[in-house]
């Protein structure tokens, strides 16, 4: 039975306010106005491109460049995906009330905020959907997440985004939590199209001990490593180092899969001090983990800027599912005793069938191609695969049909979102489908 919920309705009030404030509305994206300038004196195309050359020479040069032998492909962008873990909708500064995230806020201010972006309710499922462009129920990952005790993983016959980009000349790296299979080497990142991997292979990693219930879980390119430090800081530092070492002449595909602010909750003293005004201890620790996440995102962005790569980088930030809140979903597994996340107006959270579990904050940032704005069209994490290929000018070569849609024109404001529905869950516990404004 379909239920029409108010949280699914489009924010027409915000659209009305936008129009009154004088911002332009193009299709399903809202853009901030650009400064107006006096119209320049018209000139010929050749003179406009080569103003210091004689008109005849400029015209000849323009014609020469138009010949087939002079045609050159546009350089492909670097692609960086920053993935938070169990982050609540209102737990970012630009969307929330009490947790400050200045580095992420700056990306949102200068990028395109994706206002109807959906993932799956579980960590493994979202990571699988991101890399395959296909719903996880198509290959047996539709129920919850892969646990440290699990022996299965993402099937080898699924062609991942990393493999496609590597074939197109990208250097590839996965920094952070994998959680797509660890029991056998063929399930791990270095066998799935990633040149470099660093961080935990499993979930439920202690932020200071870098271990889970089964023992240490900290790896570098399929070999266990022993290091000291806070997990979020280590991941941010490693991701920045990947950027610093990278030869910018080749395109880079980097996924930074953070473990914060997911449980177990723990944070360094300096981040706790930033959130001393939050009275609830659980919430304060969670907020400190978000602060550490913001610092780590800033470290990656700073490395891109210092390397001269930021303007040419398509950067996507989102969380793998909604924040964990106290609830009893049918399995009774993985519930939290005390909630710390804030999913704002959305019901319940991580692991559940409602909006709080799968509708998440997300943004895109690419200074060379995207004007700041808010994309209101329906999007799903499976859309990342074809959209990245379209933005990079890479032909889709995938023998299995994708569930994702190319959203590049929609994001740039040139078309409506092609997506009309989102399959959120299909398993023994829940069957959840959003169609239009109905769920």
């Amino acid at each position: 039975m379909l239920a029409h919920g108010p949280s699914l309705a489009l924010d027409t009030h915000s659209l009305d306010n936008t129009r009154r404030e004088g911002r332009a509305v193009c299709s399903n994206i809202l853009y901030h106005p650009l400064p107006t300038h006096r119209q320049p004196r018209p000139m010929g195309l050749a003179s406009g491109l080569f103003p210091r050359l004689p008109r005849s020479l400029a015209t000849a040069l323009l014609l020469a460049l138009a010949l087939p032998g002079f045609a050159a492909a546009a350089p492909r962008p670097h692609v960086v995906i920053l993935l938070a873990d169990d982050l609540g909708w209102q737990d970012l500064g630009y969307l929330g009330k009490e947790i400050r995230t200045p580095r992420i806020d700056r990306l949102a201010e200068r990028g395109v905020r994706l206002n109807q972006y959906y993932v799956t309710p579980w960590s493994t499922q979202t990571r699988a959907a991101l890399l395959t462009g296909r719903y996880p129920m198509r290959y047996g990952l539709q129920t919850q997440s892969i646990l440290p005790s699990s022996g299965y993983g993402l099937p080898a016959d699924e062609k991942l985004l990393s493999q496609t980009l590597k074939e197109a000349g990208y250097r590839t790296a996965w920094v952070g939590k994998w959680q797509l299979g660890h029991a056998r080497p063929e399930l791990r990142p270095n066998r799935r199209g990633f040149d470099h991997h660093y961080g935990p292979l499993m979930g439920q990693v202690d932020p200071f001990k870098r271990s889970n219930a089964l023992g240490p879980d900290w790896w570098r390119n399929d070999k266990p490593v022993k290091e000291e430090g806070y997990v979020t800081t280590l991941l941010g530092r490693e991701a920045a180092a990947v950027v610093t070492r990278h030869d910018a002449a080749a395109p880079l595909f980097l996924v930074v899969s953070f473990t914060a602010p997911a449980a177990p909750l723990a944070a360094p003293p300096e981040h706790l001090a930033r959130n001393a005004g939050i009275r609830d201890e659980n919430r304060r620790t969670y907020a400190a983990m978000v602060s550490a996440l913001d610092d780590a995102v800033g470290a990656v962005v700073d490395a891109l800027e210092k390397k001269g790569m930021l303007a040419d980088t398509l950067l996507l930030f989102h969380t793998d599912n909604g924040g964990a809140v106290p609830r009893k979903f049918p399995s009774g597994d993985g519930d939290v005793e005390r909630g710390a996340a804030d999913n704002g107006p959305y019901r319940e959270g991580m692991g559940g069938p409602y909006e709080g579990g799968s509708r998440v904050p997300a943004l895109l940032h690419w200074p060379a191609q995207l004007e700041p704005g808010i994309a209101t069209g329906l999007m799903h994490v499976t859309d990342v695969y074809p959209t990245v290929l379209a933005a990079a000018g890479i032909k889709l070569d995938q023998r299995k049909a994708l569930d994702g849609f190319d959203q590049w024109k929609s994001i740039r404001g040139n078309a409506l979102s092609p997506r009309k529905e989102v399959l959120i869950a299909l398993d023994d516990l829940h069957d959840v489908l959003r169609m239009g404004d109905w769920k």
Side-chain angles (χ1 to χ4, degrees):
M1 181 176 180
L2 292 174
H4 190 272
S7 66
L8 294 177
L10 294 179
D11 190 1
T12 54
H13 175 71
S14 297
L15 288 173
D16 290 340
N17 286 342
T18 299
R19 293 187 180 98
R20 283 197 294 270
E21 290 168 7
R23 283 183 283 172
V25 179
C26 177
S27 216
N28 64 332
I29 188 164
L30 313 181
Y31 282 118
H32 299 287
L34 297 175
T36 57
H37 300 280
R38 183 178 300 174
Q39 290 295 323
R41 180 175 58 87
M43 63 177 66
L45 178 59
S47 299
L49 290 175
F50 310 107
R52 298 191 179 187
L53 295 178
R55 179 172 297 181
S56 57
L57 181 58
T59 301
L61 180 57
L62 184 62
L63 290 173
L65 290 173
L67 294 175
F70 285 85
R76 286 174 174 157
H78 308 292
V79 179
V80 175
I81 299 176
L82 305 175
L83 195 62
D85 198 0
D86 297 1
L87 178 70
W89 175 271
Q90 282 195 324
D91 293 330
L92 294 173
Y94 74 93
L95 288 169
K97 298 171 279 189
E98 56 188 355
I99 303 178
R100 296 181 179 180
T101 53
R103 301 309 303 268
I104 298 173
D105 293 355
R106 188 177 182 186
L107 292 174
E109 179 184 350
R110 299 184 177 186
V112 177
R113 291 163 50 180
L114 309 177
N115 205 36
Q116 293 197 81
Y117 188 86
Y118 281 81
V119 293
T120 72
W122 295 96
S123 298
T124 289
Q125 297 174 13
T126 292
R127 284 163 177 75
L130 171 73
L131 288 180
T132 64
R134 291 160 42 83
Y135 290 130
M137 53 282 296
R138 293 198 182 276
Y139 38 84
L141 294 182
Q142 68 272 17
T143 304
Q144 301 187 353
S145 284
I146 294 175
L147 301 175
S149 57
S150 301
Y152 63 95
L154 180 62
D157 61 350
E158 295 291 332
K159 186 175 183 179
L160 307 190
L161 178 59
S162 50
Q163 295 167 319
T164 298
L165 291 178
K166 191 171 181 179
E167 290 173 357
Y170 276 74
R171 305 292 183 265
T172 58
W174 181 286
V175 174
K177 184 174 78 168
W178 177 242
Q179 209 171 5
L180 290 171
H182 57 273
R184 303 184 303 278
E186 60 266 26
L187 297 174
R188 299 171 185 172
N190 292 118
R191 306 286 184 91
R192 305 309 302 268
F194 288 98
D195 301 316
H196 177 74
H197 167 252
Y198 171 86
L201 290 170
M202 301 167 251
Q204 304 174 353
V205 176
D206 184 282
F208 284 106
K209 299 177 182 178
R210 297 161 305 286
S211 62
N212 55 45
L214 298 184
D217 183 21
W218 204 248
W219 303 77
R220 184 186 295 277
N221 294 325
D222 226 14
K223 295 181 180 179
V225 293
K226 292 183 178 180
E227 291 180 324
E228 297 298 322
Y230 184 64
V231 164
T232 305
T233 304
L234 291 174
L235 295 180
R237 185 182 303 161
E238 178 73 12
V242 168
V243 172
T244 300
R245 294 193 302 263
H246 179 70
D247 179 0
L252 171 67
F253 176 51
L254 168 64
V255 181
V256 190
S257 177
F258 293 103
T259 62
L265 302 185
E270 61 268 27
H271 294 103
L272 288 167
R274 289 190 208 171
N275 297 277
I278 299 177
R279 304 179 75 175
D280 180 83
E281 182 180 359
N282 216 38
R283 174 70 173 169
R284 182 167 62 252
T285 304
Y286 171 91
M289 296 178 76
V290 176
S291 296
L293 170 68
D294 190 64
D295 284 353
V297 168
V300 178
V301 173
D302 287 346
L304 288 167
E305 193 162 26
K306 186 175 181 180
K307 191 77 173 183
M309 295 167 55
L310 184 60
D312 300 315
T313 296
L314 173 59
L315 185 151
L316 169 66
F317 173 90
H318 68 91
T319 180
D320 59 354
N321 44 249
V325 297
R327 52 179 303 277
K328 291 295 180 184
F329 40 87
S331 70
D333 183 37
D335 201 5
V336 293
E337 296 180 2
R338 295 179 59 201
D342 183 354
N343 291 315
Y346 302 124
R347 184 178 175 183
E348 294 194 1
M350 183 268 289
Y354 301 104
E355 293 288 272
S358 54
R359 185 169 178 171
V360 299
L363 64 90
L364 273 171
H365 179 274
W366 187 3
Q369 291 288 333
L370 297 175
E371 295 290 341
I374 303 175
T376 62
L378 186 62
M379 290 188 64
H380 186 257
V381 63
T382 55
D383 298 339
V384 173
Y385 193 129
T387 302
V388 165
L389 295 189
I394 299 172
K395 182 180 178 181
L396 178 64
D397 181 16
Q398 168 68 277
R399 66 183 182 86
K400 295 186 178 183
L402 299 187
D403 295 304
F405 289 85
D406 173 9
Q407 297 272 7
W408 188 234
K409 290 182 180 179
S410 169
I411 291 166
R412 299 191 71 184
N414 299 324
L416 294 173
S417 170
R419 180 174 286 280
K420 306 303 178 186
E421 72 281 323
V422 171
L423 181 59
I424 296 172
L426 183 64
D427 57 29
D428 294 337
L429 306 175
H430 310 113
D431 296 329
V432 186
L433 174 70
R434 173 175 169 178
M435 298 181 67
D437 290 341
W438 294 84
K439 189 175 183 182

